[in-house]
Amino acid sequence: MAYTRIKICGITREQDARLAVAAGADAIGMVFYPPSPRAVSVEQAVAIAATVPPFVSLVGLFVNLAAQDVARILEHVPLGLLQFHGDESPGFCRAFHRPWIKSVRMKEGTDLLEVARRYSDAGGLLLDTWRDGVPGGTGEVFDWRLAQGGLPLPVVLAGGLSAQNVGAAINSLQPAAVDVSSGVESAPGVKDAQKIARFVAAVRHADATHQGYEHDK
């Protein structure tokens, strides 16, 4: 069966990490971008990381953070994947010798093939919604038609996802993974157990439906 990986991002509390893991999330995302309402300190991140069991990925989100500051976080927080949302060059992204993905803010005219060529050694491209001056986490859906067509890198789909639309998103793009934050919250940085459970269930239903369709063809 096709299996869409699920990341719950913007985790700020230990109990929310436990909720996400219990619901079946494959990855937990923590934001190291101080202007974000979901930003965490190194101390918070260490405490959250301690609640996450083996085989669930810990992902750190960065936006134009200085290399020495990224390195300092990595000394304390056992991140398995780095997610870059700023203007980081491919050389910067690979300098930390950890798996990494690059965010692309989608709008009309975005050349995904060129981005994929430039960041060819990324583990994937995370597609989010363009809003001027905002590096991600807008809670808004972009036009998924902008991302249709074969890409040489795996796609992680973000941008305004929720239990109500993630099935349609998966059916449209068949991404390798989906990334949700505000769509499973009761307040910025505070996750809702029922919304997480419904989101995971919607992803798994879409996976099963798509697999059944492929089998019947």
Side-chain angles (χ1 to χ4, degrees):
M1 172 183 283
Y3 181 83
T4 306
R5 267 58 183 181
I6 299 170
K7 172 169 164 273
I8 308 296
C9 198
I11 295 288
T12 63
R13 308 187 306 169
E14 298 163 55
Q15 59 265 45
D16 290 346
R18 287 190 287 265
L19 286 175
V21 170
D26 301 284
I28 300 299
M30 294 182 286
V31 177
F32 298 95
Y33 178 56
S36 170
R38 300 172 183 88
V40 293
S41 65
V42 170
E43 292 73 22
Q44 281 177 287
V46 168
I48 291 167
T51 72
V52 177
F55 306 121
V56 176
S57 297
L58 283 168
V59 184
L61 187 157
F62 303 96
V63 183
N64 295 328
L65 194 63
Q68 62 267 29
D69 293 326
V70 176
R72 179 180 60 84
I73 290 168
L74 293 178
E75 288 177 0
H76 300 283
V77 187
L79 298 176
L81 181 70
L82 311 183
Q83 182 174 317
F84 294 105
H85 276 250
D87 303 314
E88 300 90 356
S89 69
F92 182 95
C93 296
R94 72 172 71 99
F96 305 98
H97 307 291
R98 303 282 177 99
W100 58 277
I101 60 176
K102 185 68 179 72
S103 173
V104 184
R105 295 187 291 159
M106 297 297 295
K107 63 177 181 177
E108 194 70 40
T110 299
D111 189 341
L112 276 179
L113 286 174
E114 172 58 24
V115 176
R117 183 201 62 77
R118 186 176 180 219
Y119 293 91
S120 60
D121 55 343
L125 296 179
L126 183 143
L127 310 185
D128 206 345
T129 305
W130 172 276
R131 187 197 289 173
D132 191 32
V134 179
T138 64
E140 300 169 2
V141 177
F142 67 88
D143 184 350
W144 297 327
R145 291 174 296 181
L146 297 175
Q148 288 175 333
L151 281 177
L153 292 175
V155 166
V156 180
L157 184 61
L161 296 180
S162 67
Q164 287 69 44
N165 65 13
V166 72
I170 291 170
N171 291 334
S172 176
L173 295 180
Q174 289 88 56
V178 290
D179 189 329
V180 66
S181 184
S182 61
V184 293
E185 289 182 337
S186 58
V190 179
K191 305 308 181 191
D192 182 290
Q194 291 187 341
K195 289 183 178 180
I196 292 174
R198 286 196 293 265
F199 185 86
V200 173
V203 173
R204 297 294 164 245
H205 178 73
D207 284 346
T209 301
H210 181 72
Q211 185 74 12
Y213 169 75
E214 289 294 313
H215 183 268
D216 291 340
K217 285 201 298 186

